[in-house]
Amino acid sequence: MTDFVRRLVSGDKARFKDGELDVELDLAYITDRVIVMGYPATGMEGLYRNKREHAIKFLEHRHGKSFWVFNFCPLKENSYPASVFDGRVSRYPFPDHHAPPLAILPLIAREMQVWLDGSPERVAVLHCKAGKGRSGTMACSYLLSTQIPQDPSHVHRSKTTIARATEQAKLLMNEMPGDPSFPENDPNKDSPDDDLVKKELSAESPLPTEPAKIESDKPEEAPHDNLNHVLDLHTSRRMRPPSPGKKLKQGVSIPSQRRWLYYWSLLLAHQEPLDFWSLDPPAQPSPKVYLKEIKLRMRELSGVKSNLVKAATALIDRTSRGKATSMWGNVSSKTHGQVWISLARYDDEMVDTLEKWEKHTRDEDGNFGKRKMGSEHMGNDDISELFKTDKWDHGKMVRSFARLGSVGEDAIQAEVTKDGKVITHLLSPLSNDNWKSIRKDIEADEDRLTVPKPSDGTLSEEPSLYDVTRIIDPNEGIVLDANREVRAKLYIGQVFMGWFWLVPTFHMQHPRSPGSSTTLRLNRKELDFPLGIGANIIDLEVTMEWGSETAGVIAPPARQTSPDSLAGKGEPTGLAAGVKAISAAGNIGEAMEAKQAAED
């Protein structure tokens, strides 16, 4: 086999020549049998992505009919019929730049294993849109589940399974990158707020995303503790070699996707939390967690372009009602502020279906990465039909179900440090009445700003001001399923600041004890896309508490919008507002980065 084809720079492709075949492709061999490539496009899109006919020619020329394609794009993002590759296509869609439902990782790893075990000539071809984040996450998920050859420097035979898993987790979370498009997030440069975070984190404090030690009576098995090796392998094969003096950019760079690989490495090492995806009958109800509060710390916006400062100030001031001065001046104790967080998760029915297939297809020996023989069918259903239609991805795949905001006299605090002014927002669960009040202020600010209106309110990941959501008991906290994914998306008004995904149980104390709490700290580099104003985030703390089996009711996700929204009173997307502001500043690079983050 000739050298793999490597992506050179954004928008450029490598030329592959082999006899009479001469094509340009954005494609890389992660191993001899795992290929990652960009979306096989047609028309104008083929000018900057892989041309579909080139991808077909290359794969058939090199591998004949011994390749199977795994497509991670929702239909409304990018689509093509499976007949393009003679029916050899499996689809596992989830939104761009996001973590997937966790059960997708074992389902994909198992299907890849079944396909590749069928013949040594077979290869698996993975693609999303750019062929980086989603494809890289799934390629690493498969590689973690196999015994691929390792560099001896990554093998530590003297350590226990849990010690190796914990070490790998620490290394992984330490290496989470920021967004290199913004100088404040340059991974090669320490920023002022990094020093501030270091000073306030004691040496005894655990890493922000390191879970509490999990007690388990399960016997230790041969671990799959090659997490960093797999991530490094993918990066070295997929990413452009850096110029002298620069750091190689990570292949899987989105912190939440890396966090999902960390969870997966624990599952493979049989160090998952007690009763997580348990097969033992009778099935126990999912444990519940109260999300009590999120504390967000931000620097003053002095480092942001002047027109972004004006837009942000207009969005967070309440001067139109005369109730408070700017939060960047003297903070009034009576203001609620307009920093808020939308909580969301994947469609419940979809996740329930995926988790049923995960349990049904799991190897009888409990190997999470191996499919049980003959498990392709469950009753009258076939696993190959799971995403054959657009049932799960014709609209929003991620749906909001609750919100947090600043409530009370002490919810917004300001302090002056030698590193500058720091604003702390104490964000608590919002009742409907509290949310309606904040929403009215945001709407009034938007009327003054005249920010762009969306052309389509059905983006698969975008929350809405008008989603039908409810909080069961804001005084107790938002009730979460401890074993389910949660996304927290941060805003000032309608200006997007970043988001993060987590599965609560991996960060809680075990064994469970109702009332015991955990505070998870994430710094800015552990957030996804802290763009524009989000670059001023220092860190945040998520406080969660174990609930009893009878604790509250989990709020259902939104399935429709209000009559106002259906009548055309849609919200301007936060990223759209950010793109407009950054573009006005003349920084096209930042605007394009924000636009890319908005795409789904």
Side-chain angles (χ1 to χ4, degrees), residues 85-384:
F85 295 107
D86 293 333
R88 296 189 303 279
V89 179
S90 293
R91 218 168 59 85
Y92 290 90
F94 61 98
D96 199 3
H97 303 103
H98 283 59
L102 190 60
I104 278 184
L105 272 65
L107 293 179
I108 290 172
R110 293 167 194 171
E111 184 174 344
M112 288 179 64
Q113 174 253 324
V114 169
W115 167 252
L116 294 175
D117 283 356
S119 167
E121 302 300 320
R122 290 181 175 181
V123 297
V125 183
L126 288 66
H127 80 78
C128 45
K129 184 160 58 177
K132 185 173 175 286
R134 287 173 289 183
S135 298
T137 299
M138 295 310 161
C140 290
S141 297
Y142 166 72
L143 295 176
L144 283 168
S145 67
T146 66
Q147 289 288 356
I148 64 172
Q150 292 197 27
D151 184 303
S153 64
H154 291 276
V155 179
H156 306 283
R157 300 183 186 277
S158 62
K159 297 181 180 179
T160 65
T161 300
I162 187 62
R164 287 191 295 262
T166 301
E167 178 184 276
Q168 296 297 333
K170 287 182 178 180
L171 290 172
L172 167 64
M173 305 317 291
N174 271 333
E175 292 175 2
M176 282 197 171
D179 187 337
S181 299
F182 292 87
E184 296 92 337
N185 291 349
D186 186 350
N188 298 310
K189 176 183 177 182
D190 289 333
S191 60
D193 61 300
D194 291 333
D195 294 334
L196 184 60
V197 170
K198 291 175 184 177
K199 291 174 184 176
E200 297 195 5
L201 284 173
S202 67
E204 292 76 22
S205 298
L207 286 170
T209 47
E210 181 185 359
K213 186 176 294 184
I214 297 172
E215 296 182 9
S216 173
D217 56 1
K218 297 179 181 179
E220 291 186 355
E221 301 179 5
H224 297 266
D225 61 342
N226 53 357
L227 179 55
N228 284 286
H229 172 66
V230 166
L231 287 167
D232 290 345
L233 174 65
H234 173 262
T235 294
S236 67
R237 296 293 196 267
R238 187 69 181 109
M239 303 305 293
R240 173 191 178 187
S243 56
K246 297 293 184 180
K247 185 178 179 180
L248 179 65
K249 293 182 179 179
Q250 295 285 349
V252 180
S253 61
I254 296 175
S256 290
Q257 292 177 348
R258 294 169 70 90
R259 192 172 297 118
W260 254 231
L261 291 173
Y262 156 53
Y263 298 156
W264 180 231
S265 69
L266 292 181
L267 286 166
L268 290 168
H270 290 276
Q271 298 300 329
E272 72 274 12
L274 184 66
D275 295 332
F276 185 79
W277 287 352
S278 175
L279 296 176
D280 297 333
Q284 298 295 319
S286 294
K288 295 175 183 177
V289 167
Y290 285 123
L291 175 56
K292 306 290 287 188
E293 179 184 81
I294 295 181
K295 182 167 73 174
L296 173 68
R297 296 195 309 151
M298 296 181 64
R299 287 180 294 149
E300 190 174 15
L301 297 184
S302 58
V304 183
K305 297 287 190 294
S306 60
N307 56 344
L308 266 179
V309 174
K310 292 177 183 178
T313 302
L315 286 169
I316 60 180
D317 280 355
R318 299 170 61 97
T319 54
S320 62
R321 297 191 176 207
K323 293 183 179 179
T325 59
S326 168
M327 66 177 253
W328 308 117
N330 296 321
V331 180
S332 167
S333 62
K334 296 182 180 181
T335 184
H336 291 303
Q338 291 174 358
V339 172
W340 59 284
I341 294 176
S342 170
L343 294 185
R345 63 181 184 265
Y346 281 98
D347 178 90
D348 288 344
E349 185 182 356
M350 180 181 75
V351 173
D352 288 345
T353 301
L354 290 170
E355 292 186 356
K356 286 178 182 177
W357 277 109
E358 187 285 319
K359 294 178 181 180
H360 179 73
T361 60
R362 193 187 308 171
D363 179 58
E364 293 173 340
D365 293 332
N367 185 340
F368 277 95
K370 186 177 179 181
R371 182 189 284 185
K372 181 171 61 178
M373 291 186 62
S375 61
E376 296 83 2
H377 303 281
M378 185 163 52
N380 295 324
D381 297 326
D382 191 300
I383 194 170
S384 64

